[in-house]
Amino acid sequence: MKNILFWLYVVLAVLLIGFGYIYWQSNVSPSHSDSKSNQTEMKKTAFKDKSLQNIYNKNKEMNITLLSTPHQVTDDNQSLAQTLRDHYPSLKINEQMIETASDKIDVDKLKDAKPDVVILDAMTLNDFTEKVPAQAHNKQLSKIVDDLKSDHIEVRVIGTRPSTDKAFKTYQKEEENYFEDSKTYYTQSKKWAKDDLEESYDAKTELLTDQGLDIWYANLTDYLFKK
């Protein structure tokens, strides 16, 4: 009887040790792995722009306000902002969806959030849809940029993708010409292959497809980050 109890205790002890090891792995090892993953992510977050890199180096993170348009969302509500969050967790991204013309943007409210960077993403689409003249659109974006920069907030204006619509192409070209010498403006229209356009937007809803979002994300990250 004593031998049976002895071996029973041995088996229980082995089981307890085994369960303890499994518990330790599930609770300690992942956090170590996450930490290692975060370190890797931080190492690869290298901005092409020195002023952005200096902000990131100082804070080890970056607060970004992304002003987006409803057209920049896929049918399943995946957005550029969420894609950036998924790939760059050290970027604190606050997305504001602008559903009207750019002159309705409250710059003081943007400043209250204390962003390091404000990205105006494809406001071309909003203002063209709202029938804002191209000249007024360009001046409004320039005014927003100057207002934010006066408070030492970095600003980047992202142009939109090309289009087969002649009126929109003219509108877009006026924007690109207006900001041609600006260090805050990024034009991506020439980076979209014509063959990609048809598969990048839903013809009925004008929302991005998954492929369109991937191209937009690739263009923006190519502009912002070193590989």
Side-chain angles (χ1 to χ4, degrees):
M1 184 69 179
K2 289 183 178 179
N3 285 338
I4 294 174
L5 288 174
F6 171 77
W7 287 111
L8 183 61
Y9 289 145
V10 170
V11 171
L12 287 172
V14 171
L15 288 173
L16 285 172
I17 292 171
F19 284 128
Y21 179 73
I22 292 171
Y23 176 82
W24 177 82
Q25 272 201 324
S26 64
N27 287 274
V28 177
S29 295
S31 62
H32 174 71
S33 176
D34 290 344
S35 174
K36 194 172 182 179
S37 175
N38 287 338
Q39 288 177 5
T40 301
E41 187 276 331
M42 289 181 70
K43 285 181 182 178
K44 73 178 182 182
T45 307
F47 291 89
K48 289 182 176 179
D49 189 295
K50 288 184 178 180
S51 57
L52 299 185
Q53 189 63 47
N54 289 338
I55 294 171
Y56 186 80
N57 289 344
K58 180 180 178 181
N59 302 329
K60 301 305 178 187
E61 64 178 24
M62 182 175 285
N63 294 319
I64 297 176
T65 295
L66 177 66
L67 302 186
S68 191
T69 167
H71 300 288
Q72 305 306 83
V73 180
T74 62
D75 286 328
D76 58 359
N77 291 324
Q78 181 71 358
S79 68
L80 178 66
Q82 188 55 52
T83 306
L84 286 168
R85 291 188 192 108
D86 293 342
H87 289 85
Y88 295 92
S90 64
L91 302 181
K92 311 300 181 184
I93 299 174
N94 169 39
E95 182 181 26
Q96 291 190 27
M97 195 68 75
I98 308 300
E99 299 184 2
T100 57
S102 60
D103 62 358
K104 301 298 190 298
I105 295 172
D106 188 337
V107 178
D108 289 333
K109 189 175 181 180
L110 293 179
K111 292 179 181 180
D112 289 343
K114 300 187 182 304
D116 297 308
V117 183
V118 172
I119 297 178
L120 302 172
D121 184 32
M123 291 296 105
T124 327
L125 294 168
N126 285 41
D127 286 354
F128 179 78
T129 304
E130 294 289 327
K131 302 187 186 308
V132 177
Q135 188 176 17
H137 158 76
N138 294 331
K139 287 184 177 180
Q140 176 60 24
L141 292 191
S142 184
K143 179 182 177 183
I144 293 172
V145 170
D146 291 342
D147 198 349
L148 289 169
K149 289 179 71 174
S150 70
D151 271 27
H152 308 291
I153 298 171
E154 290 289 337
V155 191
R156 297 296 180 271
V157 180
I158 309 301
T160 190
R161 83 319 187 203
S163 173
T164 56
D165 182 278
K166 290 184 178 180
F168 184 80
K169 285 173 69 174
T170 300
Y171 198 93
Q172 180 184 52
K173 190 63 179 176
E174 287 193 43
E175 179 188 273
E176 292 177 349
N177 289 340
Y178 185 89
F179 288 101
E180 185 177 9
D181 297 323
S182 172
K183 294 181 179 180
T184 65
Y185 184 80
Y186 171 64
T187 175
Q188 61 170 311
S189 62
K190 294 180 181 178
K191 294 182 178 292
W192 289 67
K194 290 182 180 179
D195 294 341
D196 291 334
L197 273 181
E198 188 174 342
E199 301 298 325
S200 298
Y201 277 79
D202 185 292
K204 294 181 180 178
T205 65
E206 296 186 4
L207 296 177
L208 283 168
T209 61
D210 290 335
Q211 175 179 308
L213 181 62
D214 288 344
I215 296 172
W216 203 290
Y217 170 79
N219 287 341
L220 181 63
T221 53
D222 182 61
Y223 164 63
L224 288 175
F225 304 112
K226 293 180 180 178
K227 300 299 182 185

